[in-house]
Amino acid sequence: IHCLITYLKSQRPTTNFDKMRTILLAYLAICITTTAAFAPPAFGLGALFRPPNIKIIKSDGSRLDEAGKFFVDAFWTGKVGGGADTLSPKQAFQLERQQVAEFSKRYRRRAAKQSGRLPGNYAGQSLDSSSELVLCVNGSDEVIGCAGVEVSRIKKMDGYDSSFSGPLMSNLAISRKYRRKGLAEDLVKAAENIARREWGYDDCYLYVEKRNTPAIKLYQKLGYKSIWEDDSATTLLPTGDGRIANGKTTIVCMKKRIGAGLFGNLFG
């Protein structure tokens, strides 16, 4: 696809035939890109270490219980910022119950309104039916990664407490066993494809804790840029003594332009 884009950018069509050929090749490139929306990349460093039979799929509102329990183990256990390395049975039960309720509220279509929202300024809530949970599954059909994207209110932090509607990516997590294999990048790209190709947005946003340096580096690598910080945010933090504390943190809002697409690469 990159070779095709490079070729198209070098063309200067003069005749009607040349123009038609360029248009057809551009259309072919779009088809290839769209078909590969949820397929793992064939090349790149991550592909060298990728386990076999990995799939990126939409949850379609199903498997939310499984995804919620997976997320607790992958994200909340040993959470960046001093989280407990091992959750007590009580902590695991409480977090799983809250996380499944949160996923159900965000991603289950036409479901009744759920209670048990996770505390914090940035727990999030979908404004409409534009919400998807993308799953990464292995050859045994086990959930080994997830990422959500939803139309939500994005804060402007302009001093007027204003906001606007846009796609917000969240809940990105990868099983420890499968990290550093390019799967996080696949999930981010799948979420971006939904926001751009299905919902028609030109930008994608996310919130990340400032102390989560590995996540920020990943997002920067994928083209996201910081647009503001909020040091008054709150987050959950499982502690080593069996509690789940609600402490302060600094949230970074990051933004990426996803609307340039193929023609942006050709003529931008």
Side-chain angles (χ1 to χ4, degrees):
I1 185 67
H2 295 295
C3 293
L4 182 55
I5 289 174
T6 302
Y7 169 75
L8 290 172
K9 290 177 69 174
S10 68
Q11 299 303 296
R12 296 294 183 269
T14 55
T15 67
N16 289 335
F17 175 79
D18 291 337
K19 292 178 181 178
M20 182 61 67
R21 181 181 61 182
T22 301
I23 291 173
L24 289 175
L25 288 173
Y27 176 75
L28 175 62
I30 293 174
C31 292
I32 293 172
T33 305
T34 303
T35 301
F38 290 94
F43 304 103
L45 185 59
L48 297 176
F49 305 99
R50 187 182 307 279
N53 303 318
I54 295 294
K55 294 187 296 183
I56 305 294
I57 62 173
K58 290 183 181 179
S59 71
D60 292 327
S62 64
R63 305 183 69 169
L64 294 181
D65 289 2
E66 180 186 358
K69 293 176 181 179
F70 154 78
F71 190 84
V72 168
D73 180 67
F75 180 81
W76 290 110
T77 304
K79 184 177 183 291
V80 173
D85 292 333
T86 303
L87 298 179
S88 69
K90 182 178 179 180
Q91 287 174 319
F93 174 79
Q94 183 178 348
L95 287 169
E96 285 176 5
R97 182 180 61 184
Q98 291 179 316
Q99 195 68 59
V100 170
E102 176 72 6
F103 278 7
S104 295
K105 180 169 58 179
R106 290 189 179 195
Y107 308 120
R108 179 166 285 145
R109 293 179 175 84
R110 295 181 297 277
K113 188 174 182 181
Q114 302 285 332
S115 60
R117 177 177 180 178
L118 290 173
N121 312 52
Y122 296 88
Q125 183 175 10
S126 178
L127 293 177
D128 53 27
S129 59
S130 295
S131 62
E132 292 283 359
L133 182 67
V134 182
L135 303 178
C136 180
V137 298
N138 62 14
S140 301
D141 201 39
E142 299 170 325
V143 175
I144 60 172
C146 67
V149 61
E150 60 191 313
V151 176
S152 187
R153 299 303 299 179
I154 312 297
K155 294 185 177 184
K156 286 187 175 181
M157 301 298 285
D158 55 3
Y160 298 97
D161 198 27
S162 57
S163 62
F164 59 93
S165 179
L168 180 69
M169 183 171 57
S170 60
N171 296 317
L172 175 65
I174 297 291
S175 171
R176 289 169 181 77
K177 180 181 176 181
Y178 291 91
R179 290 175 184 173
R180 292 185 173 86
K181 301 181 187 299
L183 302 182
E185 290 90 334
D186 293 348
L187 286 168
V188 169
K189 291 174 184 176
E192 292 172 350
N193 286 338
I194 292 171
R196 173 57 181 164
R197 295 178 181 144
E198 298 185 20
W199 301 343
Y201 285 94
D202 292 326
D203 301 299
C204 190
Y205 300 83
L206 61 88
Y207 298 139
V208 60
E209 290 189 64
K210 187 175 182 179
R211 57 192 174 191
N212 194 347
T213 304
I216 289 179
K217 288 183 178 179
L218 169 67
Y219 296 136
Q220 289 174 335
K221 171 186 172 184
L222 296 176
Y224 285 84
K225 297 181 179 179
S226 301
I227 57 176
W228 54 254
E229 295 183 7
D230 180 5
D231 60 4
S232 66
T234 59
T235 185
L236 293 179
L237 192 66
T239 62
D241 60 3
R243 296 180 300 113
I244 299 179
N246 193 9
K248 293 184 177 181
T249 189
T250 298
I251 288 292
V252 179
C253 180
M254 304 186 78
K255 171 185 175 181
K256 178 181 177 180
R257 181 75 173 175
I258 59 174
L262 173 65
F263 289 105
N265 289 330
L266 282 174
F267 306 112

